[in-house]
Amino acid sequence: MQQVRSTSALAREAAGTNESSSTRKADGIPATALPLSDLGNSVVGWDSQDDPKMPLNFSAARKWVIVWSLAAITFMSPFSSSVLAPAISYINHDFHNTNPPVGPFPVSIYLLGYATGPLFLAPLSEIFGRAGILTFSNIFFCVWHIGCALSPSLGFLVAFRFAAGIGGSGCMTLGGAIIGDLFPIEKRGVALSIWALGPLVGPTVGPLIGAFIAGSIGWRWSFWVVLAPSAVITVILAIFLPETNHKVLMQRKVKSLGRELDRDDLKTCYEANESRKVSQLNILTIGMLRPLKMLIFAPMILIQSLYVSFIYGSVYLMYNSIPPTFEAKYGWGTGVSGLVFISIGLGYMAGLWAFSMLSDRTVVRLTNANGGVFNPEFRLTIMIWYSFLCPLAFFWYGWSAQARTHWIIPIMGLFPLGFGVIGVFMPTQAYIIDAYPSYAASGIAAFTVLRSVIAAFLPICGPALFGNLGVGWGSSVLGFVGLAMIPIPIIIFKFGARIREKYPVRL
């Protein structure tokens, strides 16, 4: 089995760009060479350092078209995850549901689909390529929204939402990996920030629009509103997204050259040191288990996933609890209560802007200070400062709403929540891509699975939490847990590299 090596050892596999070496050095991280073909030794690699078929060498315009297209479909998927949150009471009424814990299931079950899909979509993308798997998952996502809109019962709605969540997890899982395929380390921060507009802003805009849809034309129209643009974006990506997985591109090149030269001894430059052939079935089995192995046996992924999962789950808990709080405390209607989510959305936007401005610059500065040697842990310095914001937001929002202060005060308290979520989510995702470049999709899948499971079940606790403790102490429970987790990014930044070297993951 192949062992995941340190990032410095894997740099040759992730390196390469259409920019010159002098430009790369000016940016602060020295250029590294692409592995080239050596047919005399049966090794198939890239034709040159400027090989146009290498995704890192795509033109800037082509890369940004791909990034913005990914951002668009990745907006629609999480938008769908929360668009039903304000409509729970309407769904209960239409389906005659009188069991309160069952009401949020159409929202929560979608996130369980997010937890299920990455387990096979990520490894399949690393075996068969990202473009085809992403297109299939996008089509799957669109088809099941038709079923959701036409659901005859609550049970069918829950089942169809689960299937839609599986399809919607494709862009969430593969988007970051595709960006890792396209951009060198010092350029990924900005690209990830643009792509992250979807998964972070989408869940905030969802309740805002969903509240007005549910209160006017009916909750079933939420699914048609999701389906129409998603279908258009799916067609665009199916036509214009090329394959970007470096290893898969090399495997295809090996097959092509093998037929052309009538040789069966050729290997890709990424597997030239492997001494044994592995069957397709074994490759598939290993790939399917890889995300779980990375989650369980990679301490850095596990620890950070637990941290982000709590923050992410708390946000979804807030999505379900904010409208009832403002309806009860301030007498607002369902549609107007949805406007509260604008504050979280503005926090997201501000946090993304700060991340895009600081992340790559911080990495370059720390790399220079480290003698030109890059460590993935450099991504986490921003996370240390952002980690204080989420607990602050929980205390601020909870007690100002409990005291029925002017409505603007608790709404302002949600702004640092959005800002803080970005500061925890984005550095973690960038860290996984940088630390495990060859298996970025599986690493993100592992990260996505745990976060989605917790986000699916934590909101179910919301009615009991706020019903028994009130919005003040209920929010404070989340704040105290957040405070206890603040040391996590500090510990990982200080000891993460040593832990990764001491406990490498065998995949």
Side-chain angles (χ1 to χ4, degrees):
M1 289 183 288
Q2 184 178 0
Q3 181 172 319
V4 175
R5 294 157 286 169
S6 65
T7 301
S8 59
L10 282 167
R12 290 184 300 276
E13 299 177 7
T17 180
N18 57 346
E19 301 168 350
S20 66
S21 297
S22 60
T23 300
R24 290 284 305 280
K25 288 182 180 180
D27 286 337
I29 298 180
T32 49
L34 292 176
L36 304 180
S37 291
D38 183 4
L39 295 181
N41 290 317
S42 304
V43 176
V44 176
W46 304 103
D47 293 340
S48 69
Q49 297 300 320
D50 299 318
D51 191 336
K53 294 182 180 179
M54 171 50 149
L56 285 163
N57 289 333
F58 287 174
S59 68
R62 189 179 188 185
K63 290 182 180 181
W64 290 113
V65 167
I66 294 172
V67 169
W68 281 105
S69 298
L70 286 172
I73 191 64
T74 312
F75 171 85
M76 296 310 304
S77 175
F79 172 86
S80 179
S81 73
S82 61
V83 72
L84 276 189
I88 291 174
S89 60
Y90 296 95
I91 295 172
N92 288 337
H93 177 269
D94 288 355
F95 291 132
H96 310 290
N97 174 50
T98 57
N99 188 357
V102 176
F105 256 57
V107 177
S108 298
I109 200 69
Y110 186 92
L111 298 176
L112 281 183
Y114 270 9
T116 304
L119 294 176
F120 58 88
L121 293 176
L124 286 175
S125 78
E126 290 167 351
I127 298 170
F128 301 109
R130 310 210 201 279
I133 299 300
L134 179 60
T135 297
F136 169 79
S137 63
N138 288 344
I139 294 172
F140 199 79
F141 169 74
C142 291
V143 167
W144 287 109
H145 272 76
I146 299 174
C148 291
L150 303 176
S151 297
S153 68
L154 183 58
F156 275 103
L157 177 60
V158 168
F160 293 157
R161 284 281 287 174
F162 176 73
I166 291 176
S169 70
C171 56
M172 301 285 288
T173 304
L174 304 182
I178 291 172
I179 288 173
D181 295 336
L182 292 171
F183 292 89
I185 291 170
E186 71 275 12
K187 302 293 184 182
R188 287 176 190 162
V190 174
L192 284 171
S193 296
I194 293 173
W195 171 72
L197 286 169
L200 293 170
V201 176
T204 304
V205 177
L208 173 63
I209 296 179
F212 286 99
I213 293 176
S216 56
I217 57 179
W219 60 268
R220 291 181 185 272
W221 274 95
S222 300
F223 302 113
W224 300 117
V225 169
V226 172
L227 175 63
S230 298
V232 173
I233 299 166
T234 295
V235 172
I236 292 173
L237 280 170
I239 295 173
F240 294 106
L241 176 66
E243 182 51 53
T244 63
N245 187 311
H246 302 177
K247 288 188 174 183
V248 170
L249 288 171
M250 278 297 101
Q251 289 164 1
R252 294 176 181 177
K253 187 174 181 180
V254 164
K255 291 180 180 179
S256 177
L257 281 177
R259 288 192 298 266
E260 181 181 336
L261 302 176
D262 193 23
R263 293 180 60 174
D264 60 2
D265 62 330
L266 299 179
K267 290 184 175 182
T268 77
C269 53
Y270 300 116
E271 59 187 16
N273 294 326
E274 295 181 1
S275 59
R276 63 189 181 91
K277 292 284 186 179
V278 182
S279 70
Q280 285 292 323
L281 179 60
N282 283 342
I283 290 174
L284 186 59
T285 302
I286 293 170
M288 299 282 277
L289 293 175
R290 187 178 295 130
L292 289 177
K293 291 180 71 174
M294 294 185 78
L295 180 62
I296 296 170
F297 298 112
M300 296 299 94
I301 292 181
L302 176 61
I303 294 170
Q304 290 189 94
S305 294
L306 286 171
Y307 183 25
V308 175
S309 295
F310 166 74
I311 300 297
Y312 193 75
S314 297
V315 170
Y316 270 88
L317 188 153
M318 300 297 281
Y319 288 155
N320 287 352
S321 63
I322 285 174
T325 297
F326 276 82
E327 290 169 16
K329 297 286 185 180
Y330 297 97
W332 291 12
T334 302
V336 177
S337 296
L339 296 174
V340 176
F341 295 102
I342 293 176
S343 179
I344 300 179
L346 291 175
Y348 285 153
M349 300 295 289
L352 279 171
W353 176 82
F355 177 82
S356 65
M357 291 294 102
L358 296 174
S359 179
D360 291 337
R361 296 178 184 178
T362 302
V363 166
V364 170
R365 177 175 57 82
L366 293 176
T367 299
N368 287 333
N370 197 39
V373 179
F374 168 74
N375 283 327
E377 284 71 23
F378 294 162
R379 292 283 185 194
L380 304 181
T381 52
I382 296 176
M383 189 175 177
I384 294 172
W385 298 106
Y386 278 61
S387 62
F388 293 89
L389 294 177
C390 288
L392 169 66
F394 290 134
F395 290 120
W396 181 347
Y397 164 77
W399 288 109
S400 59
Q402 179 74 29
R404 298 195 182 191
T405 59
H406 189 277
W407 55 265
I408 195 63
I409 304 301
I411 290 178
M412 290 174 60
L414 293 172
F415 178 85
L417 177 63
F419 203 101
V421 168
I422 293 290
V424 173
F425 180 89
M426 290 300 299
T428 299
Q429 188 149 261
Y431 170 83
I432 292 173
I433 294 171
D434 291 343
Y436 304 96
S438 292
Y439 300 108
S442 289
I444 293 173
F447 170 63
T448 302
V449 165
L450 184 59
R451 148 179 126 233
S452 299
V453 169
I454 293 179
F457 288 106
L458 191 58
I460 297 176
C461 304
L465 178 67
F466 293 112
N468 294 328
L469 300 179
V471 67
W473 281 111
S475 298
S476 295
V477 170
L478 302 177
F480 286 127
V481 176
L483 284 175
M485 292 184 167
I486 286 176
I488 288 177
I490 301 173
I491 293 171
I492 295 175
F493 176 74
K494 189 172 182 63
F495 303 107
R498 276 179 274 178
I499 294 174
R500 281 190 299 108
E501 294 290 342
K502 187 175 181 179
Y503 302 103
V505 186
R506 299 189 65 85
L507 299 177

